[in-house]
């Protein structure tokens, strides 16, 4: 694969948007292809890490396809550690696609998703955690998610995992030495070994827990706002999104369809779904909206159940509460606190006024806490799903080793699961990983990365 020369558009492409687009070429023929297509006037030298000005031309017809800049990065001083050529063209759709077509017809093949990053990994430019952090940085939906991705890209996660793996390797070496040469070595303190394995397991369990909270910052939450008609669902959506996304009137049944709004609250991306008020009605259009509300309720990550504080909690509100699927976090929110004369009903988890904004910060804090993410800002490193699974597997294997220690089994019983833990941690950083796993990891990247 690395003997091929690959190419792709490395920037977002949209009609009428973006002033510059980049066609990236990597591989042994990158410079040859660049020279065949790029004409640099004057005596501009083709030196590594030097920008050339000129035109991309069709070698068959001599037609100038685009005015461009060319950046040459000879191996190994490039992202992939191969020779890389970047053609910085005008943005848009037509010119950059024509340039890419010329590059492909000159001997390059179209890059697969994530193939540039995969080559960087295979050529030792970065470990697997850094490679995955690149993808997470590109797809970050909030500033905090981008910060976590940068922590991984800077190598913090790789350093942490490698340090834990080294500690396990030290213990494994001691145990295996006793298996083969116990009569020639001083006695091994089994309690000290078990204490070290326990400490590593606890560190891994903490990383998994932080990863779960960090996943919220990456994926966000789909939150359905449900309630009877005219309790203020649309007003709450507009208040949280700081825009008039939903129509607000005093008439019940105004919302006939789902209204979505994407926003970031306390660093957490949220997709709010304003649903039609659920009630008995003969209006066919409203009935369709109510059916969609029920579907949204089933698919939501969390539910905000709104009721009218001025009207009080009623049987219809309780019936809606019963519609929330088991296991889905639900926050019962009393709205119209500005019209509340007495104490709030005990069913209310939090009271707000969508009209004045009172209680908004408490609502967000309670929602995140109810979803198990009370302090996503305190996370310094966050494993992704693949890494969490491997870290959890390593922790489980260490638990099995500790069970062997508790039963005072021979040393070789300790080593079986300890080796499995070492392998799992090696797979996180890419020190022990199969080609199939790599293909699966990098296939999730965007093309051109």
């Amino acid at each position: 694969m690395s003997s091929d020369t690959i190419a792709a558009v490395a920037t977002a492409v949209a009609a009428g948007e973006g002033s510059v687009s980049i066609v990236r070429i990597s591989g042994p023929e990158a410079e040859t292809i660049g020279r065949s297509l790029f004409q640099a006037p004057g005596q501009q030298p083709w030196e590594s890490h030097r920008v050339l000005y000129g035109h991309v031309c069709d070698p068959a017809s001599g037609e100038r396809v685009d005015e461009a800049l060319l950046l040459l990065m000879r191996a190994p001083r490039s992202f992939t550690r191969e020779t890389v050529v970047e053609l910085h063209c005008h943005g848009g759709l037509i010119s950059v696609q024509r340039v890419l077509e010329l590059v492909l017809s000159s001997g390059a093949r179209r890059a697969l998703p994530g193939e540039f990053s995969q080559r960087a990994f295979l050529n030792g430019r970065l470990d697997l955690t850094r490679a995955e952090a690149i993808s997470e940085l590109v797809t970050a939906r909030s500033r905090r998610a981008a910060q976590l991705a940068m922590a991984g890209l800077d190598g913090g996660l790789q350093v942490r995992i490698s340090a834990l793996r080294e500690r396990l390797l030290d213990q494994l070496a001691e145990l295996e030495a006793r298996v083969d040469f116990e009569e020639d070595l001083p006695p091994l303190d089994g309690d000290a070994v078990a204490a070290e394995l326990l400490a590593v397991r606890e560190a891994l369990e903490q990383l998994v827990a932080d990863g779960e909270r960090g996943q919220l910052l990456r994926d966000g939450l789909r939150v359905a706002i449900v309630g009877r008609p005219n309790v203020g669902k649309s007003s709450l959506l507009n208040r949280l999104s700081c825009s008039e996304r939903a129509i607000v009137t005093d008439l019940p049944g105004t919302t006939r369809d789902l209204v979505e709004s994407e926003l970031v609250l306390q660093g957490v991306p949220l997709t709010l779904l304003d649903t039609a008020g659920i009630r008995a009605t003969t209006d066919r259009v409203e009935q369709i909206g109510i059916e969609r509300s029920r579907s949204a309720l089933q698919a939501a990550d969390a539910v905000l159940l709104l009721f009218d504080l001025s009207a009080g909690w009623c049987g219809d509100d309780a019936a809606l509460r019963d519609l929330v699927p088991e296991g889905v976090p639900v926050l019962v929110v009393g709205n119209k606190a500005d019209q509340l004369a007495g104490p709030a009903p005990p069913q209310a988890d939090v009271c707000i006024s969508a009209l004045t904004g009172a209680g908004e910060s408490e609502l967000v804090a309670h929602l995140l806490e109810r979803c198990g993410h009370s302090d996503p800002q305190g996370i310094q490193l966050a494993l992704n799903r693949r890494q969490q699974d491997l870290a959890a597997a390593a922790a489980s294997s260490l638990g099995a080793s500790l069970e062997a220690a508790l039963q005072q089994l021979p040393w070789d019983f300790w080593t079986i699961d300890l080796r499995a833990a070492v392998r799992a941690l090696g797979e996180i950083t890419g020190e022990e990983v199969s080609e199939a796993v790599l293909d699966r990891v990098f296939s999730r990247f965007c093309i051109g990365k």
Side-chain angles (χ1 to χ4, degrees):
M1 181 182 67
S2 60
S3 62
D4 295 342
T5 297
I6 58 174
V9 178
T11 47
V13 177
E17 297 182 10
S19 60
V20 176
S21 291
I22 299 174
V23 175
R24 178 176 291 156
I25 314 166
S26 180
E29 299 300 318
E31 184 172 350
T32 300
I33 293 172
R35 287 180 180 272
S36 70
L37 300 179
F38 193 79
Q39 293 183 1
Q43 301 298 317
Q44 300 179 64
W46 283 68
E47 298 176 352
S48 186
H49 295 78
R50 181 186 180 97
V51 176
L52 303 179
Y53 162 78
H55 294 85
V56 177
C57 300
D58 185 338
S61 64
E63 174 194 0
R64 287 184 171 181
V65 174
D66 197 6
E67 182 182 31
L69 299 175
L70 182 144
L71 175 58
L72 169 64
M73 293 168 279
R74 292 195 178 108
R77 296 174 58 207
S78 73
F79 174 65
T80 61
R81 283 194 172 164
E82 301 172 335
T83 295
V84 171
V85 169
E86 290 185 351
L87 294 167
H88 295 230
C89 314
H90 285 95
L93 289 173
I94 303 302
S95 61
V96 67
Q97 290 299 333
R98 289 197 64 193
V99 170
L100 178 60
E101 289 169 5
L102 288 176
V103 170
L104 297 176
S105 64
S106 298
R109 68 166 173 82
R110 196 180 299 271
L112 300 173
E115 191 168 2
F116 292 98
S117 297
Q118 187 169 359
R119 290 190 174 198
F121 166 74
L122 293 173
N123 293 328
R125 172 67 172 75
L126 69 171
D127 73 285
L128 197 52
T129 63
R130 286 185 173 94
E132 289 177 296
I134 293 172
S135 178
E136 290 158 11
L137 184 60
V138 171
T139 58
R141 296 174 57 193
S142 68
R143 179 180 298 182
R144 189 71 185 96
Q147 290 173 339
L148 286 177
M150 276 304 303
L153 189 57
D154 288 341
L157 185 56
Q158 187 270 339
V159 170
R160 184 76 177 276
I161 295 297
S162 293
L164 293 175
R165 186 169 183 265
E166 286 297 321
R167 290 169 65 181
L168 295 184
L169 284 171
D170 288 342
Q171 300 309 312
L172 182 60
E174 292 288 344
L175 289 167
E176 290 187 333
R178 266 58 183 194
V179 170
D180 296 327
F181 310 106
E182 186 164 20
E183 65 278 2
D184 301 322
L185 295 171
L188 182 61
D189 186 346
D191 290 340
V193 173
E196 180 70 349
L197 298 186
L198 178 61
V200 173
R201 187 182 71 168
E202 291 174 346
L204 289 172
E205 289 172 343
Q206 184 60 55
L207 281 174
V208 172
D210 286 347
E212 286 291 340
R213 294 193 294 155
Q215 204 64 41
L216 175 70
L217 298 172
R218 297 190 184 100
D219 299 341
L221 291 171
R222 288 181 63 83
V223 180
I225 306 175
V226 301
R228 293 183 296 113
N230 208 34
V231 296
K233 298 183 297 297
S234 297
S235 297
L236 177 59
L237 179 136
N238 290 339
R239 164 66 61 179
L240 293 175
S241 61
C242 301
S243 65
E244 297 297 322
R245 294 295 305 275
I247 300 173
V248 179
T249 73
D250 293 331
L251 300 175
T254 302
T255 300
R256 301 299 184 93
D257 202 353
L258 293 179
V259 178
E260 291 193 10
S261 181
E262 293 193 359
L263 61 153
V264 178
L265 297 177
Q266 294 188 11
V268 178
L270 297 179
T271 300
L272 294 180
L273 307 175
D274 177 21
T275 65
I278 299 177
R279 63 170 181 170
T281 178
T282 58
D283 186 316
R284 181 53 187 155
V285 176
E286 188 177 354
Q287 286 176 349
I288 294 173
I290 292 172
E291 290 169 4
R292 292 183 177 180
S293 296
R294 290 177 181 271
S295 298
L297 191 62
Q298 298 296 317
D301 298 315
V303 172
L304 291 178
L305 174 56
L306 224 63
F307 75 97
D308 187 344
L309 285 170
S310 63
W313 181 264
C314 68
D316 288 342
D317 297 317
L320 283 178
R321 176 66 180 83
D322 293 337
L323 289 177
V324 178
E326 185 177 353
V328 175
V330 57
L331 190 70
V332 179
V333 181
N335 187 29
K336 305 183 183 180
D338 51 300
Q339 301 178 25
L340 182 63
Q347 291 85 357
D349 295 316
V350 62
C351 297
I352 66 163
S353 171
L355 179 65
T356 67
E360 180 179 344
S361 58
E362 290 84 355
L363 166 63
V364 175
H366 276 77
L367 174 62
L368 296 181
E369 183 178 2
R370 188 61 54 89
C371 294
H373 301 279
S374 57
D375 183 25
Q377 305 304 315
I379 307 169
Q380 300 303 316
L381 293 171
L383 282 66
N384 60 30
R385 290 293 186 197
R386 183 191 75 88
Q387 296 161 355
Q388 287 176 53
D389 290 344
L390 290 168
S396 178
S397 294
L398 291 177
S401 289
L402 288 169
E403 181 62 27
L406 183 64
Q407 296 181 20
Q408 298 184 335
L409 296 177
W411 301 129
D412 51 345
F413 284 85
W414 297 37
T415 64
I416 296 172
D417 294 293
L418 183 51
R419 289 193 200 99
V422 169
R423 282 195 300 271
L425 295 187
E427 193 168 335
I428 291 178
T429 59
E431 294 176 74
E432 297 188 33
V433 65
S434 67
E435 185 175 341
V437 170
L438 291 180
D439 289 341
R440 187 165 65 250
V441 167
F442 288 102
S443 67
R444 300 189 181 102
F445 284 48
C446 60
I447 294 176
K449 248 316 181 188

